[in-house]
Amino acid sequence: DFDKGSEAYFAGDYATALQEWRPLAEQGDAEAQASLGYMYDNGYGVIQDYTEVVNWYRKAAEQGYASAQTNLGIMYYDGNGVLQDAVIAHMRYNISSANGDATGSHNRRVIERRMTSEQIAEAQALARRCMASDYQDCD
């Protein structure tokens, strides 16, 4: 179960966390998907693999999971596992902020300092489209 995986994760027992979370993630649990993404992002109990990171964050983000939206935005901002794209990063941060994630809100403000007003407008339009499609038309 998720709590057993969390307990193992915070105890540094990544093998057990992975064993508990992977089946949940494969069954569509957004929190487990985001947690697997984080493990792959940091190489906790698995080989670091940005393709897997993006895969799991995207699955959780497609369900509106706010922290996965933020983390996916970071992947786009850094260009890890995806092509670097400030507009898509802003879009993801904007969505996560709208869903209550303070980190996403902060990241959106930071990235805006490096964007043109046209890029920001494009990102905002993409965020509206993504949310209107129930997170299915986002990239």
Side-chain angles (χ1 to χ4, degrees), residues 47-64:
I47 300 295
Q48 186 182 48
D49 182 338
Y50 291 134
T51 301
E52 285 293 316
V53 175
V54 171
N55 173 55
W56 290 114
Y57 285 161
R58 188 177 311 280
K59 287 179 184 294
E62 287 173 351
Q63 297 180 67

Side-chain angles (χ1 to χ4, degrees), residues 127-135:
R128 284 190 296 273
R129 184 182 77 198
C130 178
M131 291 182 78
S133 73
D134 198 24
Y135 310 103

Side-chain angles (χ1 to χ4, degrees), residues 48-100:
Q48 186 182 48
D49 182 338
Y50 291 134
T51 301
E52 285 293 316
V53 175
V54 171
N55 173 55
W56 290 114
Y57 285 161
R58 188 177 311 280
K59 287 179 184 294
E62 287 173 351
Q63 297 180 67
Y65 195 74
S67 68
Q69 293 283 358
T70 296
N71 291 340
L72 195 52
I74 293 168
M75 301 304 287
Y76 277 98
Y77 180 78
D78 292 336
N80 291 328
V82 293
L83 291 177
Q84 189 173 26
D85 190 328
V87 171
I88 299 296
H90 183 287
M91 176 198 74
R92 294 292 181 176
Y93 296 149
N94 202 2
I95 293 167
S96 67
S97 178
N99 287 323

Side-chain angles (χ1 to χ4, degrees), residues 4-24:
K4 185 176 177 182
S6 293
E7 188 176 301
Y9 175 86
F10 289 112
D13 180 1
Y14 302 127
T16 299
L18 190 65
Q19 180 182 339
E20 293 296 321
W21 287 343
R22 184 174 300 279
L24 295 173

